[in-house]
Amino acid sequence: MSSPTQLFHFQIFMMRNTLHHIPRSPSLRARRGPLLPPACRLICAVRRVEGRIGVGDFRKEALEKDEPLLIKEQAEALPAMTKWFSSHPVPRTISKTAPALSDYFTHEFDVKTVPYELTVPTWRPRGFDGDNIDRFISWMAKTQTAWPHLYLSSHLHNVKQQLGHEYDENHRFLLFEAPISLMSAALRYNATKVSFQRVTQLYIAQAPISDLPKALQEDLATPDIVLKAGKGDVYGSSIWLGLEPTYTPWHCDPNPNYFCQIYGKKVVRLLPPGLGKSLFRKVQAELGQTGSSTIRGDEMMQGAERTLLTEKVWTEEAPEEIMEVEVAQGDSLFIPKGWWHSVKSADYKGDLNGSVNWWFR
């Protein structure tokens, strides 16, 4: 007979629970008459556990079942959640504050060089002339007179020149390295702007935890679940800090993935190995390509492949079997080996979003 504690920890929902509906476009006949509400279908929800669980329970409910599992509030034990983030005071605004990286974090890490991704969309609000990145570059040069801000302004300007002056119909994607202070400056800039004027899609993506200063590594100590539930092999770990909307395209990992949300919210869509690979192959066939399903390049972040993969995963064209889960601040998500998934932030207004993950066996 289960104890009250076990019953509390294992309020596990069935995979077919309703998470929300995907709207379907009205039929042609419906469009000719009065506007009708679109048809809907259900999306499968990931199993979930309410409250923290131990190594043995994780092994039983996640590893042995080889299925995704959401664990509510499991990541709250990570010191980074309380030590890395704070808020800027922003006078003359409704909220009076805006998300920021803490003085503790930036003091330790401000000049550390990290890998960035920058995606520049072509969409602009009607009546808005200019480019938010260009405006941010100009703001750094004009309002921040000391190093590293003049350096950052010049550095980001040189990076953006790789895009040229003409945008096509697709997103433009850049990879570059810069100090963490670039993210700090972007957060200060965004704090004074309305949503459509903010810098977005600037992402410190897959920065190894092992590259952080020792004090920050200790704030992200490898969880016992990662160290003890399997064989104890840890193949890698990363932090993901960015300005929403953040996005990771459709892919699969060769090892189990333990994913923790430390700031903001993310949404993940998943399919088991066979169905996920079939979806990828379908996209490749429609594009007339034969790309690798294991070695992925910049093409998945821009152009026709990104556009089509987004349609097949995140719209009403998604397979009926697709699963979706929202990972809130403090939650953890187990993604089994070989399961295909795509990840994006729940919001898109240029606020801060942060995650950490470990690949293990």
Side-chain angles (χ1 to χ4, degrees):
M1 179 150 180
S2 299
S3 69
T5 301
Q6 289 174 318
L7 291 173
F8 173 77
H9 283 314
F10 287 97
Q11 299 174 17
I12 301 176
F13 290 73
M14 298 297 292
M15 271 190 176
R16 290 283 176 179
N17 280 355
T18 302
L19 189 66
H20 66 78
H21 296 85
I22 293 184
R24 286 239 183 241
S25 300
S27 66
L28 185 59
R29 171 174 285 185
R31 290 185 185 131
R32 290 174 180 166
L35 182 63
L36 300 175
C40 295
R41 69 175 173 87
L42 304 182
I43 294 188
C44 304
V46 168
R47 292 183 308 123
R48 59 189 285 172
V49 173
E50 300 290 340
R52 300 179 188 178
I53 63 174
V55 172
D57 292 333
F58 176 83
R59 185 184 298 117
K60 177 182 176 182
E61 294 299 329
L63 286 179
E64 292 180 3
K65 292 186 177 181
D66 198 33
E67 295 172 352
L69 182 67
L70 175 69
I71 311 170
K72 298 294 293 180
E73 302 178 1
Q74 182 80 3
E76 287 187 343
L78 294 172
M81 288 189 59
T82 56
K83 296 171 69 175
W84 286 17
F85 308 104
S86 63
S87 58
H88 288 303
V90 187
R92 299 185 299 278
T93 63
I94 295 175
S95 64
K96 305 299 182 183
T97 61
L101 296 172
S102 69
D103 291 341
Y104 160 80
F105 181 84
T106 54
H107 173 74
E108 293 281 349
F109 198 27
D110 216 28
V111 297
K112 173 69 178 178
T113 298
V114 291
Y116 279 87
E117 296 177 356
L118 174 64
T119 306
V120 182
T122 57
W123 179 84
R124 295 288 180 271
R126 181 177 296 178
F128 179 69
D129 68 348
D131 181 289
N132 290 346
I133 296 296
D134 287 340
R135 289 171 181 262
F136 172 49
I137 291 170
S138 177
W139 175 85
M140 282 194 292
K142 292 178 180 178
T143 64
Q144 309 292 336
T145 57
W147 190 94
H149 299 97
L150 288 175
Y151 160 76
L152 291 173
S153 175
S154 175
H155 182 66
L156 188 57
H157 173 77
N158 292 336
V159 167
K160 191 172 178 292
Q161 292 307 300
Q162 300 175 42
L163 294 178
H165 299 289
E166 298 295 330
Y167 295 116
D168 61 21
E169 62 185 13
N170 299 308
H171 286 66
R172 295 296 191 91
F173 177 70
L174 289 172
L175 292 170
F176 63 99
E177 292 191 345
I180 188 63
S181 50
L182 177 63
M183 185 65 68
S184 300
L187 285 165
R188 286 193 293 272
Y189 174 81
N190 282 0
T192 64
K193 304 297 179 182
V194 296
S195 59
F196 70 85
Q197 295 177 326
R198 293 175 179 170
V199 175
T200 61
Q201 302 183 88
L202 180 67
Y203 204 14
I204 300 173
Q206 204 167 330
I209 293 177
S210 58
D211 286 353
L212 302 180
K214 184 177 180 181
L216 298 182
Q217 292 186 43
E218 293 173 352
D219 294 338
L220 293 172
T222 306
D224 282 347
I225 279 176
V226 172
L227 292 173
K228 299 177 181 179
K231 297 181 179 181
D233 298 327
V234 181
Y235 292 95
S237 57
S238 298
I239 61 169
W240 311 75
L241 291 173
L243 302 180
E244 298 171 339
T246 63
Y247 170 77
T248 301
W250 193 242
H251 71 287
C252 65
D253 298 323
N255 293 292
N257 185 347
Y258 187 70
F259 177 91
C260 301
Q261 187 66 12
I262 57 176
Y263 198 88
K265 295 180 181 179
K266 281 194 168 77
V267 181
V268 185
R269 286 199 169 181
L270 313 97
L271 279 174
L275 292 174
K277 187 172 184 177
S278 176
L279 175 59
F280 172 77
R281 291 301 184 198
K282 180 178 179 181
V283 168
Q284 292 293 303
E286 289 190 29
L287 294 173
Q289 300 176 176
T290 56
S292 169
S293 61
T294 56
I295 302 175
R296 311 297 295 117
D298 292 356
E299 68 275 5
M300 66 182 181
M301 293 298 297
Q302 62 182 341
E305 185 167 327
R306 172 182 170 135
T307 300
L308 191 54
L309 276 173
T310 299
E311 290 176 358
K312 300 299 183 184
V313 173
W314 289 103
T315 73
E316 68 275 5
E317 295 188 34
E320 292 184 359
E321 300 87 353
I322 203 149
M323 303 170 70
E324 179 176 302
V325 59
E326 181 179 89
V327 189
Q329 186 169 326
D331 295 348
S332 298
L333 176 66
F334 169 69
I335 304 174
K337 172 184 175 179
W339 275 65
W340 288 73
H341 53 285
S342 180
V343 187
K344 66 178 183 179
S345 59
D347 211 340
Y348 58 89
K349 297 178 182 177
D351 288 330
L352 184 62
N353 197 295
S355 313
V356 59
N357 80 296
W358 291 264
W359 291 282
F360 70 104
R361 186 175 63 178

